[in-house]
């Protein structure tokens, strides 16, 4: 039976702000766009509900939250009616292509009134339970593969500390310099294109904040496309040696997180305007060393200290350039590079298995809800 989304759920909202939650204590969890953020002494929902990120970089992302919990104002929640399982509703909304409803320029938004008429096939409760079970098992495999990748990233971080020590303590006495000492070109913000300008047949791919946060290497595959002229391509095209920083985030923890561009990056990949590029001087530093260093508290604390928070947390080029780094000899950095590339071979195998499972999951979602 084909139904509209508004037929199977009701919309809820919250006036809670993250600043309110940080000062409160209680038995009930509060969630934001990045997950759990604290507790309060009251709750909104008696049973699980689906939350949709309505503001900012994570806009449209969907999560399933437990009963007796709440969300902050950057989220909107969908309360399932009796004829639909919360888990089934979660998969339904996750499948919907909500990006066509995004509005706003500086901070994009999405509203339930715009997508409440989205239609899908509503199965019986018994069939819903079967579908939820199949998709859940598939997601468990996906999550296991992601955990394997995380463990390999942790191995790289552990090797970094073994070779170079905790930069905060600097037990080996490496030289400490300003990050500008290893910059080999012009620091800049990225390429801007209107949302309506993106098209599958565009001549360039665009790498944004979501493609760089928490990664050793930027994700440069299957990026959104748009069109750019030769001048823009020359100015904003990324290459190995570029270090990319997130310059705006809804939460302080996300600001200034970085990744590097892989050596095998294809042509015509541009970085977008919410990203800052530092082109590294490869005669002085190794990108893999710099990226690992950027995850350490020594560096992160400096970045957060230079950020500014209003509606969103932001950092400018000058803020990044005020940070200091340790700078071991280049030959020792290259030894670390060799280790990273050995680990990368294992990551390639795990990533291939993850991609295959993700393709299966996507095809099942198409079969059930398409």
């Amino acid at each position: 039976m084909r139904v509209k989304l508004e037929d199977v759920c009701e919309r809820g909202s919250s006036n809670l702000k993250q600043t309110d939650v940080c000062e409160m204590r209680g038995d009930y969890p509060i969630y934001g766009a990045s997950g759990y953020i604290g507790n309060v002494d009251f709750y909104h929902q008696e049973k699980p509900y689906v939350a949709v990120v309505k503001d900012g970089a994570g806009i449209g992302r969907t999560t399933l939250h437990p009963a007796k919990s709440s969300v902050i104002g950057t989220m909107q929640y969908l309360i399932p009616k009796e004829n639909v399982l919360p888990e089934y509703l979660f998969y339904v909304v996750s499948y919907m292509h909500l990006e066509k409803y995004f509005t706003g320029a500086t901070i994009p938004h999405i509203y339930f009134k715009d997508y409440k008429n989205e239609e899908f096939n509503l199965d019986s409760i018994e069939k819903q339970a079967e579908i939820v079970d199949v998709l859940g098992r598939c997601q468990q495999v996906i999550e296991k593969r992601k955990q394997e990748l995380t463990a390999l990233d942790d191995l790289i971080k552990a090797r970094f500390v073994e070779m170079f020590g905790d930069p905060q303590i600097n037990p080996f006495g490496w030289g400490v310099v300003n990050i500008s000492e290893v910059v080999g070109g012009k620091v800049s913000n990225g390429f801007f294109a209107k949302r309506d300008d993106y098209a599958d047949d565009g001549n360039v791919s665009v790498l944004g904040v979501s493609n760089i946060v928490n990664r050793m290497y930027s994700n440069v595959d299957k990026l959104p496309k748009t069109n750019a002229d030769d001048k823009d391509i020359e100015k904003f095209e990324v290459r190995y040696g570029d270090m990319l920083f997130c310059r705006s985030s809804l939460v302080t923890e996300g600001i200034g997180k970085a990744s590097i561009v892989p050596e095998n990056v294809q042509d015509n990949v541009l970085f977008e305007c919410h990203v800052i590029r530092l082109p590294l001087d490869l005669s002085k530093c190794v990108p893999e060393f710099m990226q690992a260093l950027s995850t350490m508290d020594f560096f992160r604390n400096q970045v957060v200290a230079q950020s500014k928070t209003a509606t969103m947390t932001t950092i400018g080029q000058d803020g990044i350039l005020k940070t200091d780094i340790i700078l071991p000899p280049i030959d020792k950095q290259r030894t670390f590079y060799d280790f990273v590339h050995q680990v990368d071979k294992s990551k390639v195998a795990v990533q291939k298995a993850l991609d295959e499972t993700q393709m299966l999951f996507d095809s099942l979602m198409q079969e059930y809800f398409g």
Side-chain angles (χ1 to χ4, degrees), residues 133-332:
D133 180 65
V134 171
L135 293 176
R137 290 173 184 273
C138 196
Q139 278 202 308
Q140 286 178 1
V141 176
I142 290 173
E143 185 58 33
K144 182 179 179 180
R145 300 303 184 205
K146 289 181 178 179
Q147 290 172 358
E148 291 175 359
L149 290 174
T150 298
L152 291 169
D153 286 337
D154 290 343
L155 179 62
I156 290 173
K157 191 170 183 177
R159 179 59 173 157
F160 179 96
V161 174
E162 180 183 29
M163 291 184 63
F164 306 109
D166 180 349
Q168 191 74 46
I169 304 171
N170 195 10
F172 301 124
W174 308 119
V176 178
V177 301
N178 183 266
I179 197 171
S180 62
E181 294 293 320
V182 298
V183 173
K186 183 179 180 180
V187 179
S188 60
N189 296 344
F191 172 76
F192 173 78
K194 296 179 180 179
R195 185 171 292 110
D196 292 343
D197 293 338
Y198 282 85
D200 292 340
D201 59 351
N203 68 339
V204 296
S205 300
V206 182
L207 192 156
V209 168
S210 63
N211 307 111
I212 71 173
V213 174
N214 289 331
R215 292 181 170 88
M216 168 64 80
Y217 296 107
S218 301
N219 179 9
V220 294
D221 298 321
K222 299 178 181 178
L223 298 173
K225 291 188 174 184
T226 188
N227 288 293
D229 58 30
D230 291 343
K231 184 177 179 180
D232 285 332
I233 294 173
E234 181 181 1
K235 185 176 181 180
F236 300 113
E237 187 175 32
V238 298
R239 60 188 61 83
Y240 180 68
D242 287 342
M243 192 171 186
L244 306 174
F245 291 85
C246 170
R247 73 179 186 92
S248 60
S249 173
L250 284 172
V251 293
T252 303
E253 293 76 13
I255 196 65
K257 288 195 172 181
S259 66
I260 57 176
V261 175
E263 290 181 278
N264 61 347
V265 62
Q266 61 268 37
D267 293 335
N268 294 346
V269 174
L270 314 188
F271 70 106
E272 61 104 33
C273 59
H274 294 95
V275 176
I276 297 172
R277 172 169 64 183
L278 266 70
L280 300 173
D281 184 340
L282 299 185
S283 70
K284 295 180 179 179
C285 68
V286 170
E288 286 76 3
F289 166 81
M290 288 294 296
Q291 194 284 331
L293 175 62
S294 76
T295 67
M296 302 291 171
D297 289 344
F298 169 72
F299 189 87
R300 293 290 308 144
N301 291 341
Q302 294 181 75
V303 167
V304 172
Q306 294 297 330
S307 66
K308 300 176 182 179
T309 300
T311 305
M312 300 182 72
T313 301
T314 61
I315 192 168
Q317 298 171 25
D318 58 339
I320 298 293
L321 290 173
K322 287 179 181 178
T323 58
D324 292 332
I325 61 170
I326 60 170
L327 192 62
I330 191 69
D331 59 340
K332 196 165 185 69

Side-chain angles (χ1 to χ4, degrees), residues 330-349:
I330 191 69
D331 59 340
K332 196 165 185 69
Q333 294 183 46
R334 288 170 179 157
T335 299
F336 179 69
Y337 166 95
D338 292 338
F339 176 81
V340 170
H341 275 254
Q342 287 300 315
V343 176
D344 281 346
K345 293 178 182 178
S346 297
K347 290 178 70 174
V348 167

Side-chain angles (χ1 to χ4, degrees), residues 138 142 222 354-364:
C138 196
I142 290 173
K222 299 178 181 178
L354 172 60
D355 291 343
E356 291 173 349
T357 309
Q358 185 66 55
M359 287 179 61
L360 172 61
F361 178 81
D362 293 344
S363 66
L364 288 171

